[in-house]
Amino acid sequence: MVTKNITSNLIKSKQSALAYVEASHKAKTGEAANEYFLLSVASGACYNSKGAVDYKRRQITEALIDYEDKEARGLEPSSHKLDGLDVELDILMEMHEIDLNVHESINGTKWEPRDKKRRSAQLSDEKKAYFKKKYG
């Protein structure tokens, strides 16, 4: 596990990275980065780390199914893969916590993933013409 001191340093480093983003924006545009841009960078880090945690959990689920399948067939499965994935998940969860803390430190509120938006089907020109002819 990452110690509190290291965690604190990582949070400071990620906050420094955001300060770099802000300074880079000003250097390139002559204007300060707006708050929305900085929050989007911090939110992006949260989305990425959450995605990594979710992916690792799926890997563990699949490895556990594989382990149990081998057991059921009378084989002697190894727990090495599951042990390694477990350690990796712990680290990824800590990194996600750090991203959440950084986001909260600049936004003042806890990050929450947005609901997945469903993209509506796009109408082809033929379908548009059909509906215009039919309905008006």
Side-chain angles (χ1 to χ4, degrees), residues 35-98:
E35 188 175 335
Y36 178 80
F37 176 67
L38 294 175
L39 284 174
S40 70
V41 172
S43 291
C46 293
Y47 277 106
N48 288 336
S49 60
K50 181 183 182 315
V53 166
D54 292 346
Y55 178 72
K56 195 58 65 177
R57 284 185 173 144
R58 285 191 302 273
Q59 283 185 309
I60 289 172
T61 299
E62 291 169 6
L64 186 57
I65 289 168
D66 186 49
Y67 184 93
E68 290 172 340
D69 180 54
K70 286 179 182 176
E71 249 182 352
R73 291 186 289 146
L75 302 172
E76 291 187 35
S78 170
S79 66
H80 290 300
K81 183 173 184 175
L82 279 165
D83 292 338
L85 290 170
D86 185 47
V87 169
E88 292 170 5
L89 178 60
D90 286 344
I91 293 167
L92 291 172
M93 288 173 62
E94 287 180 40
M95 295 303 295
H96 182 56
E97 266 311 304
I98 289 165

